[in-house]
Amino acid sequence: MQKILVTGGAGFIGSNFVHYVVENTDMNVTVIDKLTYAGNRQNLAGLPEDRAQLVVGDIADAALMDELVSTHDTVVHYAAESHNDNSLRDPRPFLDTNIIGTYVILEACRKHDVRLHHISTDEVYGDLELDDPNRFTETTPYNPSSPYSATKAGSDLLVRAWVRSFGMRATISNCSNNYGPRQHIEKFIPRQITNILDGRRPKLYGAGLNVRDWIHSDDHSSAVLTILEKGELGETYLIGADGEKNNLHVIRLILRLMGEPEDAFDHVADRVGHDMRYAIDSTRLRSELGWAPQFGDFESGLGDTIDWYREHVGWWGREKSAVEAAYSTHSQ
Ligand code: NAD
Ligand code: DAU
């Protein structure tokens, strides 16, 4: 039976992956997570203790990572500082976790000859114009915009260098914007849902014409599992589900699904350096590895996500005022 070490497994996408793996495979999972503001023990609640354990610690702790990596077959590396707006206000934790943390993992995997799958983002490619007929592919040049995406690009390049220089058994995936349960309420979709549930108005940056390519977190998990099973070592795979929508459309849809007038939102200060459009061409993953997304209907996936936040006020309620107070100091 395979033992996998999942970094950042108490966060949004990592915890959804851990649940997905326990439900769909016979692998055993150890989560290593620092439980930053974005990590939550409750995200792993309900998992059988003999299949999934949590170790609280920092991926930049070389002694801890050496010990943990040495007893596992594969590392799936989700841990990161993940929010663009935070990176614009205080970039340092992004360098510590996304760059140094990834370096520490690479060295531990190299020493113990352990397979690594590195989770990354489409933001490493920068952005596209709204009318550009092209989408990102595995050969699009790197051109990150924010401190967050620059550190993710740096971490990808470190993985590529360890593959080339040291023969590291590694794969990389770059995925588009995820939605689903357990996403931190600082992020766009859960922020707006919880604003409405909390009697606040949704907040749209600028004109809201920026496009994101939405994918359900379970489709991201199935793609990662597919790459673990069938991916070619040393290669990169883009993950996306043809879900391009602009922010204005999404905010109106959330309002409609929650029974509110579609114009009941505020335009607030735009993000500096705001990427205009992300769009993924996932042909390689689909044609070479046979993956396909299961969540074709964004509206119904979004409806389920709204229900999740409605039913889990205890998960987000205590943090809501502080998250909104932090945004308001930046007129957002
Ligand atoms: P998240 O912020 O919800 O979770 C990150 C997790 O990492 C948290 O549990 C946090 O406690 C943990 N963590 C942070 N620093 C750590 C450290 N030094 N040591 C150990 N644990 C640490 O993030 P997310 O949205 O779930 O993103 C997970 C990964 O997926 C990231 O690598 C991100 O770049 C990537 N990604 C995210 C998206 C998206 O739409 N959210 C899309 C593509 C790729
Ligand atoms: O593309 C993948 C990336 O998607 C991941 O690498 C990041 O970890 C993840 O956070 C996400 O980055 P974005 O910056 O696209 O996501 P965010 O949820 O912060 O914002 C989505 C869009 O919504 C973006 O255009 C900014 C806008 N926005 C965001 C917030 C928080 C608003 O209009 N209002 C808001 O309140």
Side-chain angles (χ1 to χ4, degrees):
M1 191 179 297
Q2 271 228 60
K3 281 181 75 182
I4 63 170
L5 180 64
V6 177
T7 76
F12 164 47
I13 310 180
S15 69
N16 279 298
F17 177 73
V18 172
H19 283 271
Y20 193 90
V21 163
V22 168
E23 279 158 29
N24 293 287
T25 77
D26 63 358
M27 292 192 258
N28 282 337
V29 183
T30 306
V31 169
I32 162 74
D33 198 297
K34 194 178 171 182
L35 299 183
T36 68
Y37 78 95
N40 190 335
R41 233 177 239 287
Q42 286 179 52
N43 290 348
L44 301 168
L47 290 166
E49 277 175 28
D50 59 337
R51 297 286 311 283
Q53 294 88 36
L54 169 65
V55 175
V56 179
D58 191 332
I59 57 163
D61 178 340
L64 174 65
M65 292 314 293
D66 183 81
E67 186 191 329
L68 282 173
V69 168
S70 71
T71 54
H72 289 81
D73 306 301
T74 300
V75 176
V76 187
H77 176 31
Y78 286 91
E81 286 293 336
S82 68
H83 192 36
N84 277 298
D85 291 325
N86 294 342
S87 81
L88 295 162
R89 287 157 203 165
D90 181 14
R92 179 62 199 243
F94 290 74
L95 281 101
D96 292 338
T97 290
N98 302 0
I99 301 279
I100 300 297
T102 300
Y103 158 74
V104 166
I105 289 167
L106 282 164
E107 283 296 79
C109 288
R110 174 157 83 110
K111 180 173 168 192
H112 298 289
D113 189 23
V114 166
R115 159 91 191 267
L116 171 68
H117 181 69
H118 176 63
I119 302 293
S120 193
T121 168
D122 56 1
E123 293 192 19
V124 299
Y125 301 113
D127 63 351
L128 299 161
E129 297 296 331
L130 292 180
D131 60 357
D132 191 331
N134 297 306
R135 299 188 289 172
F136 299 138
T137 70
E138 285 78 5
T139 56
T140 303
Y142 275 40
N143 187 27
S145 311
S146 72
Y148 161 68
S149 46
T151 58
K152 291 299 292 187
S155 67
D156 292 11
L157 297 180
L158 290 175
V159 176
R160 289 182 183 201
W162 261 243
V163 167
R164 166 111 183 215
S165 302
F166 306 123
M168 167 78 66
R169 293 186 295 127
T171 39
I172 300 175
S173 55
N174 298 80
C175 187
S176 59
N177 284 64
N178 285 220
Y179 72 98
R182 297 190 282 272
Q183 185 168 29
H184 195 274
I185 57 170
E186 68 190 352
K187 302 287 179 10
F188 178 56
I189 286 180
R191 185 182 182 203
Q192 315 316 330
I193 295 170
T194 56
N195 274 348
I196 297 167
L197 292 174
D198 205 33
R200 303 167 191 259
R201 281 165 70 90
K203 310 287 185 216
L204 186 68
Y205 291 176
L209 299 182
N210 310 66
V211 169
R212 297 295 182 264
D213 190 353
W214 294 101
I215 181 172
H216 193 278
S217 50
D218 278 353
D219 278 337
H220 189 175
S221 295
S222 72
V224 170
L225 210 49
T226 301
I227 296 166
L228 285 177
E229 285 163 359
K230 302 187 211 163
E232 195 179 327
L233 294 178
E235 294 300 316
T236 291
Y237 297 90
L238 263 55
I239 304 173
D242 301 333
E244 281 188 70
K245 278 154 198 69
N246 75 29
N247 297 336
L248 183 60
H249 170 87
V250 174
I251 217 162
R252 283 188 172 144
L253 180 57
I254 292 170
L255 281 157
R256 177 162 63 75
L257 290 174
M258 296 182 74
E260 300 289 329
E262 288 192 9
D263 60 354
F265 64 87
D266 296 330
H267 289 275
V268 295
D270 208 349
R271 176 181 284 170
V272 294
H274 197 173
D275 278 343
M276 185 47 81
R277 173 174 163 241
Y278 305 140
I280 289 268
D281 178 348
S282 58
T283 302
R284 179 176 201 195
L285 180 63
R286 294 171 194 243
S287 61
E288 291 183 18
L289 305 190
W291 174 81
Q294 299 304 310
F295 287 78
D297 183 357
F298 178 70
E299 188 166 325
S300 111
L302 188 59
D304 290 347
T305 304
I306 291 168
D307 289 345
W308 190 88
Y309 285 92
R310 216 192 284 282
E311 288 157 14
H312 291 84
V313 178
W315 185 88
W316 58 268
R318 276 188 302 277
E319 277 181 281
K320 183 66 186 170
S321 293
V323 170
E324 289 308 310
Y327 271 123
S328 70
T329 61
H330 301 274
S331 305
Q332 291 183 319

